Amino acid sequence: MSRILQNTPASEIAATLREAKGYYITNTARDLSQSDFKNRILLHTDMMAAASRDRAGYFSLEITGGASIHVDMMRKQVDPFTKLKLLRKQMPNTMFQTLCRGVNLFGYRPYPQNVIRFTVQQFARYVDVWRTFDFLNHVPNMIAVFEEVATAGKLNEPCICFSTGDEHTNEFYVRKAKEIIDVTGRDITLCIKNHGGLGTPTRVGHLVDSLKQALPDIPVHYHGHNTDGNDVGRIVEAVKNGATIVDGGDSAFTGFYGPPPLLSVIQTLKELGYEAIGIDEEAVIETSDVIRDERKYYQQFESQIKGFQPTVQIHKLPGGAMGSSLEQASKGGFLDKMPDILHKELPRVQKELGNFWSVTPGSQILWTTAVSNVLGEERYGNPSGDLKNLLLGKYGPFPFYRPDNWIYEKVFGSDWQQIVEDEGGADHVADMDLGQERYALAEQLHVEPTDEQLVLYLQHPKDAVDFFKFEEEFGKTHVLPPSIFFKQGGFDIGEKIIFQDFEGKEHLIEMGPSPVTDTGETLVYMNVDHHPTVFNFAPDKEVLQSSQGKELTKEQILDLNRAGDVHSLLSATVVEISVEEGQEIMVGDRIAIMEAMKMQTPIVAEAEGIVTNIYAKAGDVLKPGDRILTIDRDSE
């Protein structure tokens, strides 16, 4: 049986899969990049691998979606649409796949229906397979994506997020799959999204068997992580029990928290009599040979803790969250507390909050709550805005049971019942005026934006604008290999850098002096391909200092905030300052929004009065005790 090519209609894909006598493989390059390299694998590396990946004959290449859209712009200075266009030229046969968070799209919050539909329409021009999930397995949160994917003629791959525990039965997942099919119809692939690599091979095999017994005409795609080193075993049992598609990664870049090596999967199943349909093993091997020497340049992004983690069966963190959590613990100085957080507090929080699925944004809610409980002075004493929204049902209903009343009281106070009654339930997110948003973006860019630019702006406004302006000033940096892009230690005057871009064209960069002007600007002189160029860089931002340069306790910060001298209680990035100098505010008014681990927390006024000074701005990274603004309580 031959491979399935790009732009094949969804009905034909489903029909081919139903008749398959072997199994297909998806190369989850995006998931590998996120789980083991903090989403830093550059387009240059993917372009080096493109030709051999295309020959390899995969069912699909997962190359976009999830957090990669955001990180492409924010950390790698590449347009997510440019990435898809360039790769498609090099990979004319392979279907591209994305990971979509349903109502949260490629961001971390619910978006309006017209934004969801507009985004899917634009990405569906390049993406063939849409793997869509919701962290509460709440089907209504995925319907808009399902509808737009079907309208575009692309393949819907709805997910049932998998976990372990008394409530996570085969019967529950079969009911959920039927609920999905009632919306999507039967020309789909159904994904078991085992984002943490949970359960034993036997458990996964039983789940696949139950789904195939209940829904024999629905192709099942098993997706898992190799955190405990056991995902090849789970894949084998999935295929033996009827799964038609499984996932893996290029062996040269596989690690601990992402997918297992593709060739190991192929070789293991071959001995058992299962053939990988359309796969060219030589091309699979060639891909790793081509990119193997690039891995050393990404070493700085690999996990702080090496080795497999069988304890994932206890803490249940998915691969992407595992790496970022370890990084946060290292930077925050609490790496030594990770055993307590992962093996004691996190499982406790999961049970207390309803035993739902630890995947974005649920994984961030569970993680930040567990960290706060361990590092803080009282459990649930410093709740994030997203935890509050979860308890209020803003993301959807709890799938199994609601947290106990004492947690609501700890988070919302003694009048929690009235708050839940007044504010509970999913909010209707009103449609945005896309014309007005396009105008606002044009005002910032001083040029009419494209539809693709607007899509990126609607999900990540600040970082999208920063990226567009960066690219306008400095050009297309995606031609740079990781040896240059991630070079550490600076450059010496007169140093010559010679490299080939992914098209084989040779480039020369010669470093000149970098004087600092009287105004603090740095002028960087370079010869780029023998053309002299000067770049101006503004002075580094001053790091905000806490009051009087001393560390403040939580009680001191709370006392200052009640007095009108508002300081940050957490390490976070300022997303928005919601007030202006001279504005009169009341107790409880929102004055700022801060974000940590992708979770947004509103900061409300503890005092009434007039805002007199604002010290922080959007984009600033604050530490506990850093000043945000002051409120004059005697301005009446």
Side-chain angles (χ1 to χ4, degrees), residues 137-139 160 171-180:
N137 275 324
H138 186 48
V139 176
I160 49 173
E171 292 74 20
F172 171 82
Y173 289 118
V174 169
R175 285 198 309 272
K176 190 59 62 174
K178 290 179 176 178
E179 184 183 345
I180 288 170

Side-chain angles (χ1 to χ4, degrees), residues 316-383:
K316 301 181 182 180
L317 270 185
M322 195 69 237
S324 58
S325 299
L326 290 167
E327 181 180 40
Q328 185 194 23
S330 178
K331 291 180 178 178
F334 59 91
L335 201 58
D336 60 315
K337 297 186 182 297
M338 285 296 281
D340 281 344
I341 294 171
L342 290 176
H343 305 147
K344 296 178 182 179
E345 184 60 20
L346 189 51
R348 187 179 176 190
V349 166
Q350 286 175 336
K351 291 181 180 179
E352 290 172 347
L353 293 185
N355 201 20
F356 55 83
W357 294 269
S358 182
V359 62
T360 305
S363 51
Q364 285 88 349
I365 296 173
L366 293 169
W367 162 254
T368 54
T369 302
V371 171
S372 177
N373 287 355
V374 169
L375 301 184
E377 298 178 359
E378 55 180 336
R379 301 184 73 240
Y380 299 101
N382 187 26

Side-chain angles (χ1 to χ4, degrees), residues 2 19 30 66 78 128 231 253 261 301 314 524-525 606:
S2 61
E19 300 299 320
R30 180 217 60 84
V78 65
D128 303 275
D231 210 48
F253 272 70
F301 304 113
I314 299 171
V524 177
Y525 290 84
E606 303 281 347

Side-chain angles (χ1 to χ4, degrees), residues 433-479:
D433 185 334
L434 298 187
Q436 182 59 42
E437 295 299 319
R438 187 184 297 273
Y439 175 80
L441 179 56
E443 285 287 287
Q444 296 182 72
L445 299 183
H446 308 294
V447 66
E448 182 69 15
T450 66
D451 286 347
E452 293 174 355
Q453 286 178 315
L454 180 58
V455 159
L456 300 174
Y457 170 75
L458 290 170
Q459 290 174 87
H460 305 289
K462 178 185 181 299
D463 292 318
V465 170
D466 287 348
F467 164 69
F468 298 146
K469 290 181 176 179
F470 175 92
E471 193 171 68
E472 176 66 24
E473 183 174 0
F474 299 111
K476 310 285 188 182
T477 62
H478 60 253
V479 299

Side-chain angles (χ1 to χ4, degrees), residues 27-337:
N27 184 324
T28 49
R30 180 217 60 84
D31 191 31
L32 185 151
S33 176
Q34 176 165 337
S35 298
D36 287 309
F37 299 93
K38 300 182 177 68
N39 255 319
R40 293 308 206 285
I41 304 300
L42 296 179
L43 175 57
H44 188 282
T45 300
D46 286 323
M47 289 292 287
M48 289 177 63
S52 52
R53 279 177 176 167
D54 195 49
R55 290 198 309 276
Y58 299 118
F59 171 75
S60 59
L61 173 71
E62 187 186 278
I63 197 63
T64 189
S68 74
I69 304 294
H70 190 199
V71 180
D72 278 351
M73 296 185 292
M74 182 173 62
R75 299 286 184 235
K76 297 187 283 186
Q77 282 71 54
V78 65
D79 187 319
F81 287 103
T82 297
K83 177 170 76 173
L84 291 170
K85 293 171 188 175
L86 290 173
L87 285 170
R88 173 149 284 186
K89 289 180 180 178
Q90 300 297 317
M91 303 184 69
N93 299 305
T94 307
M95 292 195 294
F96 287 169
Q97 179 171 305
T98 189
L99 179 70
C100 181
R101 299 164 177 163
V103 72
N104 299 314
L105 285 175
F106 307 122
Y108 317 104
R109 60 184 174 85
Y111 291 97
Q113 290 288 299
N114 65 335
V115 172
I116 295 171
R117 295 179 185 278
F118 182 51
T119 299
V120 175
Q121 289 163 13
Q122 294 303 310
F123 273 95
R125 295 160 60 197
Y126 311 101
V127 176
D128 303 275
V129 183
W130 286 73
R131 178 180 281 172
T132 304
F133 74 93
D134 179 75
F135 82 100
L136 292 175
N137 275 324
H138 186 48
V139 176
N141 283 346
M142 300 184 278
I143 289 177
V145 175
F146 293 159
E147 291 177 346
E148 290 301 323
V149 170
T151 298
K154 305 300 184 178
L155 180 67
N156 267 310
E157 185 169 284
C159 297
I160 49 173
C161 295
F162 174 75
S163 189
T164 52
D166 294 340
E167 297 84 10
H168 297 269
T169 63
N170 291 342
E171 292 74 20
F172 171 82
Y173 289 118
V174 169
R175 285 198 309 272
K176 190 59 62 174
K178 290 179 176 178
E179 184 183 345
I180 288 170
I181 292 168
D182 285 343
V183 175
T184 62
R186 310 187 84 82
D187 287 337
I188 63 168
T189 50
L190 179 69
C191 179
I192 299 172
K193 183 172 171 57
N194 189 3
H195 40 270
L198 303 178
T200 63
T202 299
R203 173 70 189 97
V204 169
H206 286 168
L207 175 57
V208 174
D209 180 63
S210 294
L211 290 167
K212 293 303 292 184
Q213 297 254 7
L215 303 162
D217 62 324
I218 303 299
V220 171
H221 188 160
Y222 172 76
H223 164 74
H225 283 186
N226 202 35
T227 305
D228 64 350
N230 204 19
D231 210 48
V232 174
R234 287 185 284 266
I235 288 172
V236 167
E237 288 302 310
V239 172
K240 287 171 65 176
N241 284 277
T244 313
I245 317 169
V246 296
D247 289 356
D250 295 299
S251 59
F253 272 70
T254 47
F256 306 111
Y257 307 133
L262 287 157
L263 199 59
S264 298
V265 171
I266 294 166
Q267 291 170 340
T268 303
L269 284 167
K270 182 185 292 186
E271 186 170 322
L272 295 172
Y274 296 94
E275 195 68 28
I277 298 171
I279 289 295
D280 180 337
E281 290 187 34
E282 290 302 316
V284 174
I285 295 169
E286 181 184 324
T287 303
S288 283
D289 288 343
V290 167
I291 62 175
R292 178 168 284 109
D293 289 343
E294 301 297 295
R295 181 166 183 162
K296 58 180 174 288
Y297 303 116
Y298 295 103
Q299 184 176 359
Q300 60 188 295
F301 304 113
E302 295 196 58
S303 173
Q304 282 77 7
I305 296 178
K306 302 295 190 293
F308 293 112
Q309 286 203 33
T311 56
V312 68
Q313 306 299 331
I314 299 171
H315 61 71
K316 301 181 182 180
L317 270 185
M322 195 69 237
S324 58
S325 299
L326 290 167
E327 181 180 40
Q328 185 194 23
S330 178
K331 291 180 178 178
F334 59 91
L335 201 58
D336 60 315
K337 297 186 182 297

Side-chain angles (χ1 to χ4, degrees), residues 505-527:
K505 182 180 178 181
E506 191 168 275
H507 299 275
L508 168 68
I509 300 175
E510 186 173 13
M511 304 303 300
S514 301
V516 178
T517 68
D518 293 341
T519 59
E521 288 184 317
T522 301
L523 305 180
V524 177
Y525 290 84
M526 289 192 294
N527 281 326

